Amino acid sequence: MITRLIVFGGTGDLAGRYLLPGLAALFGAGHLDARFEVVCADRTGRSQEEFREWVVAQLDRHAADLPSVARKAVAAATRYQRADIRNPDDVAAAIRGDGPIAVYLALPPAVFPAAVTTLHEVGLPTGSRIVLEKPFGEDLDSAENLNRLLADLVPERAVFRVDHFLAMTTVQNLLGSRLANRVLESIWNSAHISKVEIVWDETLTLEGRAGYYDHVGALEDMVQNHLLQLLCLIAMEPPITLSERDLRDRKVDVLRSVRPLTDADLPGRTRRGRYLAGRIGDREVPSYVDEQGVDPHRRTETFAEIELALDSWRWSGTTFVLRSGKALGADRKEVAVHFRPVPHMPFGHEGTAEPNVLRFGLDPESLSLELTSVGSTVGTLVPLTLTAQVQPPELPAYGRLLLDVFNGDPALSIRGDEAEQAWRVVSPIQSAWSRDLVPLDEYSAGSQGPADADHGR
Ligand code: NDP
């Protein structure tokens, strides 16, 4: 197990909000001990004291539910180092020490190519691993370029392209439900399933993140990575094992089976939107373009919906809708599997049955199955929902993925060819949207999104 982590960008939002709490969870659960060292680097040059205060404040804010002994262990294990990732001398000083290390690039994505180039110049100890945050590239060409740079640095097995959704318990549960039960797999195909919705609708707005979000938008921020990963887990053939090779081979098959969207398809199969001022609960929300740091000329979408078809024996005839939007009226974060209606209804005209829906709640984590039952009045049918709460996880998603990095198990990270295949799906959409082949709709904050979006439940 690797016992030294160097986080470049170790004082940013991601580090404070997710990485330090993830480490605290690992200390709390006994996966890490006092030998473990963390170096957090940035360009500012702060004192160890200032840095320690920042670490404690972040843990108090984002890991308050963890025992104070776990938070203290992180504070004791962590030190600050001033280093510009573009400067080889700085980087050499930051990584100096014995044995293999895990290097985490918690940096603005535009810096990734320069970061990998510098690490190559400096050289990493044998057995080291590198972790890259999303988004991996900004289109197919840049992802291919980054993959080439990484291939010169370390073996593919040592590259961890993070998608923290894959480490969420409820996402793992997509696999558990499908593969550890007999009842689902035999009906898991287009003969029985008409539509799958993979939805991350949120009431959250920009929350001060224009510097990042205004350059990517909903398609790159959510659909290209998290939602396509969920599609892979829903649609893949059962892997032989859950090892990195079997799992990732089957996921790549799904991405390769996605029918490419042509310019002619795109207006009917994709929607994009941007929110206007509105009210969400008791909050007044300004228009996206009036948020601080937003450049209206970029025409960044805050809502993206795409409808995909898979060219495969199992899925030909099923529609997959992937959608994510900000500033919507309600949070809806789920995978909803819609089954086809029953082939024959023996109840006569009194009986109407809604088709069954299996819902995997992503946040909050839950599982529910919508069935139809007979009602109390003779001849009537009523809806019946079976709901289960999923067991709370031992580790938060970032705790799990850090543990996998330290243990050298890349199964839940994205392989290089997988990242490129995901861009192959998204690139035609990016291109058509940039040419305005699909209008940028507007929707009021607090609404359901653009009027013609798919709100099928
Ligand atoms: P921030 O802007 O909050 O932090 C960026 C960090 O990188 C800062 O510590 C900054 O410090 C440092 N940095 C920037 N340039 C350099 C450089 N040349 N050398 C060394 N350090 C540098 O960004 P986030 O933490 O929000 O995001 C980091 C990454 O994580 C991004 O790729 C983002 O897409 C991804 N991510 C973020 C999520 C989040 O919720 N925040 C969620 C999922 C992914 P300084 O400028 O002082 O050097």
Side-chain angles (χ1 to χ4, degrees):
M1 184 176 178
I2 278 180
T3 56
R4 206 150 54 92
L5 169 69
I6 321 291
V7 187
F8 289 99
T11 57
D13 184 68
L14 179 95
R17 191 187 292 268
Y18 295 118
L19 300 185
L20 295 174
L23 289 167
L26 291 177
F27 275 107
H31 294 289
L32 302 181
D33 60 29
R35 283 173 309 158
F36 199 85
E37 288 173 52
V38 184
V39 176
C40 288
D42 74 7
R43 294 168 299 179
T44 49
R46 47 186 93 187
S47 70
Q48 296 297 344
E49 206 165 64
E50 278 171 324
F51 172 70
R52 189 69 32 94
E53 277 171 22
W54 177 82
V55 169
V56 169
Q58 295 301 307
L59 290 168
D60 284 349
R61 185 159 171 214
H62 301 297
D65 53 329
L66 293 172
S68 73
V69 61
R71 286 180 275 149
K72 282 189 181 140
V74 176
T78 310
R79 71 175 170 82
Y80 173 76
Q81 173 83 31
R82 196 208 65 79
D84 183 339
I85 190 73
R86 298 167 199 262
N87 181 321
D89 293 338
D90 286 0
V91 171
I95 68 174
R96 187 169 299 134
D98 294 328
I101 54 175
V103 174
Y104 202 119
L105 301 186
L107 295 164
V111 189
F112 288 174
V116 178
T117 305
T118 315
L119 290 168
H120 186 250
E121 205 175 322
V122 173
L124 290 178
T126 308
S128 295
R129 295 163 198 152
I130 180 163
V131 191
L132 294 99
E133 260 302 334
K134 67 145 208 193
F136 186 81
E138 53 190 30
D139 53 24
L140 182 55
D141 285 348
S142 55
E144 284 173 345
N145 180 46
L146 199 46
N147 274 338
R148 273 192 294 271
L149 293 172
L150 285 163
D152 284 342
L153 180 65
V154 284
E156 174 61 33
R157 267 193 70 96
V159 182
F160 291 74
R161 298 172 192 79
V162 164
D163 191 319
H164 75 275
F165 269 43
L166 290 173
M168 287 161 58
T169 321
T170 185
V171 172
Q172 289 290 303
N173 197 36
L174 292 173
L175 292 180
S177 301
R178 277 191 61 189
L179 305 175
N181 297 289
R182 186 134 195 159
V183 289
L184 288 182
E185 198 50 31
S186 55
I187 53 169
W188 208 252
N189 54 51
S190 62
H192 296 281
I193 294 174
S194 57
K195 179 164 87 167
V196 177
E197 290 175 286
I198 302 173
V199 177
W200 191 268
D201 283 353
E202 55 186 3
T203 51
L204 280 183
T205 58
L206 193 57
E207 316 294 323
R209 296 193 66 217
Y212 162 72
Y213 192 86
D214 200 39
H215 293 266
V216 290
L219 184 68
E220 282 181 48
D221 183 47
M222 290 301 300
V223 178
Q224 191 275 342
N225 36 67
H226 303 316
L227 302 194
L228 280 178
Q229 285 297 317
L230 292 171
L231 170 73
C232 289
L233 298 186
I234 285 286
M236 71 181 181
E237 293 301 318
I240 300 169
T241 68
L242 295 182
S243 69
E244 56 92 11
R245 178 178 163 191
D246 290 336
L247 187 62
R248 301 196 293 183
D249 279 355
R250 296 292 76 79
K251 282 162 61 196
V252 170
D253 288 345
V254 174
L255 294 170
R256 289 180 51 226
S257 76
V258 174
R259 188 179 306 157
L261 290 169
T262 64
D263 279 358
D265 297 330
L266 273 146
R269 298 271 185 81
T270 68
R271 307 264 173 293
R272 59 178 179 145
R274 189 167 69 176
Y275 65 83
L276 297 170
R279 195 180 179 80
I280 305 175
D282 54 8
R283 275 190 303 150
E284 290 294 342
V285 172
S287 285
Y288 177 75
V289 293
D290 293 330
E291 298 264 22
Q292 199 179 3
V294 167
D295 176 357
H297 299 108
R298 265 193 238 285
R299 294 170 58 72
T300 302
E301 79 285 350
T302 58
F303 176 99
E305 181 180 279
I306 66 175
E307 192 184 301
L308 298 176
L310 305 191
D311 285 326
S312 67
W313 186 292
R314 188 190 281 262
W315 292 117
S316 181
T318 298
T319 302
F320 292 86
V321 177
L322 281 59
R323 181 175 76 235
S324 182
K326 281 193 178 298
L328 296 170
D331 284 312
R332 182 182 169 216
K333 298 169 181 174
E334 65 174 10
V335 175
V337 180
H338 296 259
F339 289 87
R340 295 192 189 280
V342 291
H344 170 67
M345 199 55 180
F347 288 88
H349 293 300
E350 302 86 3
T352 53
E354 289 297 321
N356 304 129
V357 185
L358 178 62
R359 295 182 193 276
F360 296 90
L362 302 171
D363 182 20
E365 301 187 329
S366 65
L367 182 63
S368 72
L369 176 60
E370 295 172 12
L371 298 168
T372 296
S373 166
V374 290
S376 50
T377 314
V378 175
T380 58
L381 295 172
V382 291
L384 173 77
T385 303
L386 307 181
T387 304
Q389 293 309 315
V390 178
Q391 293 256 337
E394 179 202 27
L395 293 175
Y398 271 91
R400 167 75 198 267
L401 73 84
L402 284 168
L403 186 61
D404 284 354
V405 172
F406 306 147
N407 284 330
D409 180 0
L412 298 185
S413 71
I414 315 294
R415 204 168 59 193
D417 56 339
E418 206 179 337
E420 291 176 15
Q421 285 296 332
W423 280 117
R424 187 192 63 83
V425 173
V426 164
S427 290
I429 308 170
Q430 271 180 319
S431 156
W433 287 8
S434 70
R435 286 175 286 135
D436 276 336
L437 292 187
V438 176
L440 179 63
D441 294 332
E442 291 184 319
Y443 61 96
S444 300
S447 70
Q448 285 200 321
D452 53 354
D454 184 322
H455 298 299
R457 305 253 143 152

